[in-house]
Amino acid sequence: MQRLYFLIPDRETTTDIVNELNAMGLTKDHLHVMGKDWQPLEKEGVPVATLIQTSDVVNASKRGAVVGALLGLVLGLVAHYVLVGTNIVWMALGMTLFGALFGVWASTMVGVSVKDIKVDKYDKAIKRGAMLLIIDVPDEREGDYRNAIKRHHPEVVIEKVTAQERKEHVGEGH
């Protein structure tokens, strides 16, 4: 799946594009919109982007689970040798699990505050009234969706996260 970002100048054009994408086979599960004036779109049935799409919360929680589990394992092994009479297997498993859960919790708190790469890039335009439509499309149909929207709405900016942006920025919505 590819994630495409459509920066759209107004709400009416956003509604038109969502209808075109629905006609091309995309369901509401694949579409997410954000903007200053999103409430009317939600009433029309356009799904609103949540923290999962607009922040780094999912990726941060994955990183937190891995780092927390590794630290928990190390602490579990250290605790086994410091405390007398503990079972190494249970100590290591328990601390690994605790570390993973703590890592998920702690990193999620941070991930919520880190904006997605494109959301961050288009923040000023969104505050001025533009809409950001986030769509997830199958890899093999990406060109079809891009071409159809560009043909009918040449004013729309269509992008996806580049390798360079991924390298320079932490946040990537999921």
Side-chain angles (χ1 to χ4, degrees):
M1 290 292 259
Q2 286 291 324
R3 173 156 286 175
L4 298 178
Y5 298 82
F6 292 61
L7 184 65
I8 307 168
D10 55 55
R11 195 183 61 192
E12 292 76 23
T13 307
T14 304
T15 301
D16 293 344
I17 289 173
V18 166
N19 291 335
E20 288 178 44
L21 293 171
N22 283 334
M24 292 179 71
L26 283 183
T27 65
K28 292 181 185 200
D29 295 335
H30 299 105
L31 305 168
H32 314 283
V33 70
M34 68 175 297
K36 194 167 76 171
D37 191 23
W38 55 266
Q39 290 90 350
L41 289 170
E42 187 176 40
K43 289 177 184 171
E44 294 174 18
V46 179
V48 176
T50 64
L51 282 174
I52 291 173
Q53 290 87 32
T54 62
S55 71
D56 193 42
V57 70
V58 172
N59 294 317
S61 65
K62 290 175 186 176
R63 290 188 302 269
V66 171
V67 171
L70 291 173
L71 287 174
L73 176 62
V74 169
L75 288 175
L77 294 173
V78 169
H80 168 71
Y81 290 109
V82 171
L83 301 173
V84 178
T86 61
N87 183 316
I88 190 168
V89 173
W90 289 113
M91 182 62 77
L93 281 175
M95 290 300 287
T96 300
L97 180 62
F98 174 78
L101 293 174
F102 184 79
V104 167
W105 175 77
S107 61
T108 299
M109 296 298 121
V110 174
V112 166
S113 65
V114 176
K115 289 184 180 176
D116 174 79
I117 297 169
K118 295 296 182 185
V119 172
D120 195 30
K121 179 179 178 179
Y122 296 125
D123 191 47
K124 289 179 183 172
I126 293 168
K127 286 180 180 172
R128 285 192 308 266
M131 306 298 284
L132 184 65
L133 179 64
I134 303 167
I135 68 168
D136 297 316
V137 299
D139 293 340
E140 63 275 0
R141 299 233 21 233
E142 176 188 346
D144 298 339
Y145 292 108
R146 277 180 181 269
N147 295 335
I149 299 307
K150 272 297 185 192
R151 188 171 43 251
H152 298 115
H153 306 281
E155 74 280 10
V156 173
V157 176
I158 304 173
E159 289 190 359
K160 64 180 179 180
V161 177
T162 65
Q164 183 68 26
E165 287 174 323
R166 196 170 272 123
K167 186 187 293 185
E168 293 174 0
H169 196 282
V170 176
E172 184 178 352
H174 195 67

